[in-house]
Amino acid sequence: MRATIVRLLPCLLLALLALPVHAQDVFQEGKPITVELMNGDKISGILQSADTNNLVIMNDILGKLTIPRAAMKPPTAPEPVKPVEPWTGSFDLSLSGSEGNTDTQIFRTELDIKHDVDEGVDTFVAIYNRSETDNTATEEKFFTQLRHEWKIKESKWRPFVQGSYERNQFTDYDALYAAAAGAAYQFIDTPEHKVQGRLGGGLSHKSGSDDPDVDDNTVEALVGGDWTWQINEISKFFLYTDVYPAINPSGGFRSISRVSYETKVAPDSPWYLKAGVDLFHDSNAGEGTDKDDWNYYLGLGRAF
């Protein structure tokens, strides 16, 4: 019996292959349908039947219509929806130097990360600068900040909280810790321009200071904003500033400002050239310490 079935299998397969085969059709009989003809006309109705050559459609006004498939535009599948990547970021570095009577090396690196979802936005930045002259450090600064904003549906306001850490080898204190909260307002949010303002307040703490003129703890306000301008397909301009006026003890302020210009090496390339300026100001930096800390740079970066 088993041998007989084995001998019959090839015959059954040949018989099945000989049957007329219809490819799976996108049209379903008995369902509403709209077809577009080659000349751009569209016909709607109930599909009564569909074969290899024709569709038969019952139209409310024209009655039964036989539409040759050759006269129809082929159905096109919808373009796949590309998922929005909530994580974006960039990393860039610049390195310059000189040798001769004085050997100088200048190094700067920056990491930016953004997490943007329906509920809120997280932004993180870390900047490290170091300069050496004749193998002696003349500048070494590290700054990092994390901000979280809550999105409110159909509102341009976004409550936020943020925290930052700053360490500068050439100040009268070891480190500066700061936390703030407030509200941000989206003045402009288009593909070309994004302008945001911020208003709030917080507390900063300077650790490791022996200078009596340096206040360890300061209650401060926060006034700031940023502007991103997508100039064209490959170029972008960015301006950021946060000012922290001292409230208690009053008098003086500190600020963080950054401005940069980026241009991609090619339209589809993740690599870009970046030039910019950083300015950190602290009117209570301590005796003998410059209140303004400038950094100019030109480097190479990669977006991810």
Side-chain angles (χ1 to χ4, degrees):
M1 180 66 178
R2 182 180 299 175
T4 302
I5 294 176
V6 171
R7 286 195 297 269
L8 289 175
L9 278 176
C11 299
L12 292 172
L13 291 173
L14 290 174
L16 290 172
L17 291 174
L19 293 174
V21 177
H22 298 283
Q24 184 177 3
D25 207 332
V26 297
F27 304 111
Q28 298 182 18
E29 296 180 0
K31 299 290 185 180
I33 184 176
T34 298
V35 297
E36 185 175 0
L37 305 181
M38 290 296 186
N39 62 4
D41 293 341
K42 292 184 178 181
I43 298 176
S44 300
I46 303 298
L47 179 64
Q48 291 193 329
S49 64
D51 58 27
T52 305
N53 298 318
N54 301 299
L55 300 183
V56 178
I57 298 175
M58 179 61 70
N59 182 271
D60 292 339
I61 299 176
L62 302 177
K64 183 183 292 186
L65 300 173
T66 300
I67 311 295
R69 286 183 182 259
M72 298 165 42
K73 288 186 177 180
T76 56
E79 294 185 3
V81 178
K82 296 181 179 179
V84 177
E85 176 57 59
W87 291 95
T88 58
S90 62
F91 176 78
D92 54 79
L93 60 87
S94 59
L95 179 65
S96 62
S98 63
E99 294 185 6
N101 294 326
T102 302
D103 295 337
T104 303
Q105 292 82 37
I106 301 173
F107 173 80
R108 180 190 185 276
T109 184
E110 178 178 340
L111 173 66
D112 291 277
I113 299 175
K114 186 175 184 179
H115 182 235
D116 192 342
V117 293
D118 293 338
E119 295 78 16
V121 182
D122 293 295
T123 53
F124 173 81
V125 59
I127 301 173
Y128 176 74
N129 297 324
R130 180 177 174 85
S131 301
E132 291 185 0
T133 300
D134 293 334
N135 297 321
T136 300
T138 56
E139 178 190 18
E140 186 167 10
K141 183 181 185 68
F142 175 72
F143 170 78
T144 184
Q145 183 182 75
L146 174 64
R147 177 187 294 123
H148 177 78
E149 301 173 7
W150 286 273
K151 292 182 179 179
I152 301 176
K153 184 176 290 188
E154 299 180 357
S155 175
K156 294 185 177 182
W157 289 99
R158 293 180 182 177
F160 73 86
V161 294
Q162 68 180 43
S164 64
Y165 170 79
E166 181 181 331
R167 186 176 183 87
N168 192 334
Q169 182 178 341
F170 297 93
T171 57
D172 285 342
Y173 52 89
D174 293 336
L176 187 150
Y177 304 85
Y185 186 81
Q186 315 304 303
F187 290 100
I188 304 175
D189 190 2
T190 66
E192 293 80 19
H193 296 278
K194 297 183 184 301
V195 179
Q196 180 190 81
R198 287 181 293 277
L199 185 64
L203 175 70
S204 65
H205 171 73
K206 295 175 179 176
S207 65
S209 175
D210 296 328
D211 190 336
D213 295 328
V214 174
D215 299 314
D216 292 339
N217 298 302
T218 304
V219 178
E220 52 193 15
L222 165 59
V223 181
D226 52 69
W227 170 33
T228 301
W229 175 22
Q230 190 68 45
I231 302 172
N232 52 42
E233 186 180 5
I234 64 172
S235 301
K236 180 171 68 175
F237 174 83
F238 176 71
L239 173 64
Y240 167 100
T241 185
D242 275 342
V243 181
Y244 301 88
I247 298 175
N248 185 24
S250 61
F253 71 95
R254 64 183 185 92
S255 65
I256 302 169
S257 301
R258 298 157 53 207
V259 59
S260 64
Y261 172 81
E262 300 176 10
T263 182
K264 293 182 179 180
V265 297
D268 296 329
S269 174
W271 296 94
Y272 58 87
L273 297 174
K274 181 177 180 180
V277 180
D278 300 330
L279 170 60
F280 290 78
H281 174 86
D282 188 350
S283 59
N284 190 31
E287 186 177 355
T289 301
D290 198 331
K291 294 178 174 56
D292 292 323
D293 191 358
W294 294 87
N295 183 257
Y296 312 89
Y297 61 90
L298 172 64
L300 179 68
R302 191 184 194 280
F304 57 86

